[in-house]
Amino acid sequence: MSPRPWRLITALAITAAATACTAGNQTTTDSGPKAEAPQTIEVWHGWSAPHEVKAFEDAIAGFHKLHPNITVKLVKGQDDTKILNAIRSGTPPDVVSSFSTNNVGQFCSSGALQNLTPYLEKDKVNLSIFPKAVQDYTQYKGNRCTLPLLADDYALYSNKALMKGNPPPKTISELTALAKKLTVRNPDGTIKVAGFLPSVTYYEHVPEHIATTSFGGQYLNPQGRANFATDPAFTKYLQWEKSLLDWYGYDNVKKFVHSMGQEFEASNPFEKGKVAMGIDGEWRTKFMEEEAPKVQYDTSPVPVNDDRQNTYGGGFVTGTIIGIPRGAKHAQASWEFVKYLTTNTDALVTFANGLGNVPSTIPALASPNLKLPPQFKTFLDVFKNPNSTTIPSTINGGDFVVKFQSFVQDQWEPGKVPDLQKGLQGLDKKVNDSLQLAGG
């Protein structure tokens, strides 16, 4: 998968749409035409780059052979807001995939996506083919309304030429020192080449990829309430982030970010040699192959804070999810499609090879047919590492993620928070009030 900028907007927009969906999703596995009947199913997905669209088409080639009576119409570039608006209006597609595991709680609790457990039980699908972390982020409070469709994790990319012989950093202190050492400034002090940009406005340098992995931050406490002011990991993360940001100069970083190319285009600054080190997902290996084949680079686990060196090797794990919307008119054929795409090893390996994603089943992870570049091994190792983490799903999706990033981006980075502890306490209250309003 390659997440798109809508992922943070979606969590805000999704709540209003989800409230229009009837809570509770009673699933019947015999609704609509039989799977054997001639029919067309419409499948919405978020991929849009040419190699991504082709990868999806290649992955379902085997489905066409198994089910020649089912025509699959693929619709690219769809996000969660469009999906929920279609469900709310009573005109949903038959199958949807989403990049937003944060929204599983909303999808399941609102009934926007059907509970797949009856289908799984009817066809005796063994969930143990999915790693435990993957099983966890595809259900909410026992309602499994999604299944995993490939997985993503994050690591540190290093441009070999810009690293100048320095090995990839393993700790935050090493990362900070290298970021300063490798940064090249213009005569006026602005950034020409960045060693490492700490700002959350830089693509995948969002808090959940650093605050959790590097500093061990737990967004929610065991009672399911906001933990920003209580967990010291967030204070450590924010103080480090602001210190490095101030070293660069907030205005310099802002100017550099505004001058950057698009994340999912060949103008990406890492691909252009403008950034020495950056955190990114495994899909970047495919983009490097397609768009910057001459750039020599390494991958390594994301550095961890110096007091957490025993956790080095883990990373942030998430993935694409797939499900059947409430009101789908071809539910039985839709289930056959979902089952095939999420459990068939050949389909998953083909898809993973085409997208440069991590396969989401244990058999596919072990397949000798995986054809991925050497730099991809880091991501397979991170995915299996017991220190890898994700963030919990809630009834209002990724609202707490959005609120934290907004706090960092709009208040903390510009220097508008005179008292960090009070600021985090205020953030906790906003998150908890939102959870309570949503019924959590």
Side-chain angles (χ1 to χ4, degrees):
M1 125 179 153
S2 47
R4 296 297 191 260
W6 64 60
R7 64 182 171 184
L8 293 177
I9 300 171
T10 295
L12 294 175
I14 195 172
T15 302
T19 55
C21 299
T22 304
N25 46 356
Q26 300 299 318
T27 301
T28 57
T29 59
D30 57 355
S31 60
K34 298 296 183 184
E36 297 78 18
Q39 59 198 293
T40 297
I41 61 173
E42 187 167 303
V43 178
W44 286 12
H45 64 87
W47 289 285
S48 59
H51 76 270
E52 296 175 328
V53 174
K54 183 179 185 303
F56 206 136
E57 293 171 348
D58 291 345
I60 66 173
F63 180 80
H64 290 303
K65 294 178 181 178
L66 286 175
H67 302 276
N69 60 297
I70 301 175
T71 300
V72 181
K73 178 184 178 182
L74 297 176
V75 182
K76 67 180 182 179
Q78 301 300 302
D79 62 43
D80 290 359
T81 302
K82 293 176 183 177
I83 289 169
L84 282 161
N85 284 340
I87 296 171
R88 178 178 58 179
S89 67
T91 57
D94 297 291
V95 177
V96 297
S97 74
S98 166
F99 298 150
S100 305
T101 56
N102 291 350
N103 292 329
V104 168
Q106 287 180 311
F107 284 138
C108 294
S109 63
S110 69
L113 298 185
Q114 297 183 29
N115 189 345
L116 299 179
T117 299
Y119 295 105
L120 291 161
E121 292 178 345
K122 181 179 180 181
D123 287 355
K124 296 180 173 57
V125 176
N126 187 350
L127 291 176
S128 67
I129 64 171
F130 305 112
K132 185 179 184 304
V134 175
Q135 293 183 43
D136 290 344
Y137 68 62
T138 50
Q139 60 86 34
Y140 178 70
K141 293 186 175 180
N143 182 340
R144 185 170 300 285
C145 70
T146 69
L147 283 177
L149 179 58
L150 303 185
D152 297 299
D153 56 44
Y154 295 80
L156 185 74
Y157 283 73
S158 304
N159 182 308
K160 284 187 175 183
L162 298 180
M163 291 294 284
K164 300 177 181 178
N166 292 286
K170 293 183 177 181
T171 66
I172 288 295
S173 63
E174 292 173 354
L175 173 66
T176 305
L178 265 181
K180 295 177 179 180
K181 180 180 180 180
L182 302 178
T183 292
V184 179
R185 295 181 186 265
N186 294 307
D188 62 357
T190 55
I191 304 168
K192 182 178 182 180
V193 176
F196 178 90
L197 281 178
S199 175
V200 299
T201 59
Y202 180 73
Y203 305 144
E204 301 300 329
H205 288 190
V206 292
E208 62 263 39
H209 299 165
I210 303 177
T212 53
T213 298
S214 301
F215 292 86
Q218 299 293 317
Y219 279 73
L220 304 178
N221 63 23
Q223 291 73 44
R225 290 296 179 257
N227 206 29
F228 298 110
T230 305
D231 188 343
F234 291 105
T235 297
K236 291 180 182 178
Y237 157 69
L238 290 168
Q239 289 175 338
W240 163 77
E241 193 250 15
K242 187 70 164 65
S243 176
L244 185 54
L245 187 71
D246 289 347
W247 180 84
Y248 277 106
Y250 175 75
D251 289 339
N252 287 335
V253 171
K254 190 174 180 180
K255 184 176 181 179
F256 185 83
V257 169
H258 285 167
S259 71
M260 296 187 313
Q262 296 298 311
E263 181 177 4
F264 298 103
E265 294 181 1
S267 54
N268 180 289
F270 183 82
E271 297 181 19
K272 287 296 186 181
K274 297 293 186 180
V275 174
M277 299 177 291
I279 295 170
D280 212 336
E282 81 292 330
W283 63 84
R284 181 61 54 193
T285 60
K286 178 59 68 172
F287 279 85
M288 296 297 290
E289 179 184 304
E290 298 279 338
E291 299 172 347
K294 294 183 180 179
V295 174
Q296 299 296 307
Y297 70 98
D298 284 323
T299 60
S300 58
V302 173
V304 296
N305 202 34
D306 294 54
D307 60 1
R308 302 186 71 249
Q309 294 186 48
N310 63 322
T311 67
Y312 180 75
F316 185 82
V317 176
T318 183
T320 305
I321 51 177
I322 190 168
I324 303 173
R326 180 174 59 88
K329 295 179 175 59
H330 306 89
Q332 293 187 60
S334 298
W335 165 244
E336 292 300 326
F337 181 83
V338 169
K339 180 177 66 173
Y340 174 82
L341 200 54
T342 58
T343 65
N344 184 280
T345 296
D346 289 341
L348 286 169
V349 169
T350 298
F351 210 2
N353 285 338
L355 287 181
N357 281 182
V358 177
S360 43
T361 68
I362 293 172
L365 279 170
S367 173
N369 295 322
L370 280 175
K371 295 180 175 63
L372 297 163
Q375 296 93 337
F376 202 89
K377 184 179 184 300
T378 296
F379 297 96
L380 295 177
D381 292 341
V382 166
F383 189 65
K384 295 180 286 187
N385 192 292
N387 294 307
S388 289
T389 62
T390 189
I391 55 175
S393 184
T394 66
I395 195 170
N396 59 354
D399 177 76
F400 63 98
V401 177
V402 174
K403 282 183 167 55
F404 184 43
Q405 175 149 341
S406 296
F407 172 81
V408 179
Q409 180 174 327
D410 301 331
Q411 299 180 54
W412 178 246
E413 289 190 358
K416 299 178 181 179
V417 183
D419 187 320
L420 178 55
Q421 184 63 18
K422 286 185 179 179
L424 292 176
Q425 288 171 349
L427 175 63
D428 282 350
K429 185 178 186 306
K430 289 180 181 179
V431 171
N432 291 335
D433 287 348
S434 182
L435 282 167
Q436 187 173 5
L437 184 63

